[in-house]
Structures are given as structure tokens and as C-alpha cells.
Amino acid sequence: MKKTLSLLAAFFCASVFAQAQTPKPANEQVVVPQVERRDVKLPRFPSKDIEVGLFAGVYSTESFGASGIAGVRLGYHITEDFFVQANLAQTKVSDEAFSQYLPGGGLFPGDSVQKLTYYNVSAGWNALPGEVFIGRNRAMASAIYLLGGIGSTKFIERRRQTFNLGVGLRVLFTDRVGLHMELRDHIFKTDITGLPLTTHNVEFSGGFAWYF
């Protein structure tokens, strides 16, 4: 009897040990979730890559002094770092400074005040993106950018190919409204004074922009 009980106990222990050594499948899932699938419509956020703006400032025409200027701007931000921009602006130039030295009067035919109009297309790079802090609790996104491009300047009924180089500061008040300040050099050739010259015409301007 004792031998029989010993054999049964040994057989039971061996069975338990064998079951403990049997590996479970790695992908065995204990609980099968009952998840009801549904279609989700993702929201569409405006990219605000298109920029429309107005600006005004001072345009210094080489040899003729400085005068006020005003214009419009249209831009497109390709990435966070690069953008393209188109400008159209107008100012007035006077030759009164020459009238007292020239026997025949000023250099301009007819009226002593002439319109100067330009348009250009430029590429820009946000060289120093950052933030501007107002107090301790308010920060606004900003960027110092470099730009350069090509265009045309109409002065005394003649168009002149113009290159421009500049630096600017952009500060965003909100996602849709920003402030621009720019310093540009408009470079074109002219012979108004009687000699062919490559002139550097510096413009300093500021204005507001809206983003869509």
C-alpha cells in the first residue's frame, strides 16, 4: 500500500513539474479587447503662410536727398526658415538742390519733383529666430532676417534694373498680425547727373503684416 501511494505521489509531482516547464506562446493574449472602431475626422488648421502688408518710411535717392515712401507687400513663407516677398512702392524726388548751381535750372525736365516707383521680388532667410519679451509674462515670436532680390525702378519715365539687399526684423503680435522693420539698399545705374553711375539708394521702412 505504501509503495502504491509513493508511486501516485511521484507521478503527481512529475505531472505538475512538466506543466510548469511547458512554455506559453509569446503572442498569447489573455484578454481580448472589444473596441468599436469609428471614423475620426481630423481638424484642419490654417497654415498662415501667406503674408499681406503695408509699409511706409524714408527713401534716400543718391544725390537728391531723402523723402517719404509708402508701399504694399505680398509674401509667401515656404518653410520656417525661407520665404519669398514682392514689394511695390512709390516716393517723390526733387532736384531743387541743383537749381541754384545750374544756369538752366534743375536736372529734371519740366517739373522739379518727379515720381520714383519700384517693384521687386526678393528671397529671405530667417537668420536669427527668437522671442521678444514684454515684461515677465509675455513673449512674442520674432526673427531677424536677411533678404535680397531683383526688380525695376521707374524714374523720370525710364525703367532701370534694380538689385536690392537688406536686413529686417519681424515681430508677431498674434498668429495673424505682425510688425516689420527693414533697412534696404536699392542699387541701379543712372546717368541723370551727366555721368553713368551705379547708385545706392537706402530705404528704411516699417509696417504691419497680416497672415492667412
Side-chain angles (χ1 to χ4, degrees), residues 134-151:
I134 299 178
R136 296 183 177 180
N137 301 321
R138 182 172 177 79
M140 295 181 293
S142 66
I144 295 176
Y145 56 89
L146 305 176
L147 48 80
I150 190 171

Side-chain angles (χ1 to χ4, degrees), residues 70-138:
V72 296
R73 172 181 294 122
L74 177 64
Y76 178 72
H77 293 260
I78 304 171
T79 66
E80 292 184 356
D81 296 324
F82 298 98
F83 61 93
V84 291
Q85 185 185 98
N87 288 355
L88 174 65
Q90 180 176 288
T91 185
K92 292 183 178 181
V93 182
S94 173
D95 69 344
E96 292 181 359
F98 291 89
S99 60
Q100 55 183 330
Y101 301 106
L102 298 177
L107 294 176
F108 298 163
D111 195 351
S112 62
V113 177
Q114 297 287 333
K115 291 181 180 179
L116 184 149
T117 305
Y118 74 75
Y119 66 84
N120 56 47
V121 177
S122 305
W125 171 48
N126 295 320
L128 294 174
E131 292 181 326
V132 173
F133 292 89
I134 299 178
R136 296 183 177 180
N137 301 321
R138 182 172 177 79

Side-chain angles (χ1 to χ4, degrees), residues 46-53 74-76 175-176 209-212:
S47 59
K48 302 182 181 67
D49 293 332
I50 299 176
E51 171 189 346
V52 178
L74 177 64
Y76 178 72
D175 291 342
R176 292 189 177 275
W210 292 264
Y211 299 85
F212 303 93

Side-chain angles (χ1 to χ4, degrees), residues 28 30 47-48 126 164 190:
E28 182 179 358
V30 179
S47 59
K48 302 182 181 67
N126 295 320
N164 76 91
T190 180

Side-chain angles (χ1 to χ4, degrees), residues 199-212:
T199 62
H200 293 264
N201 308 275
V202 179
E203 173 190 344
F204 178 74
S205 65
F208 293 94
W210 292 264
Y211 299 85
F212 303 93

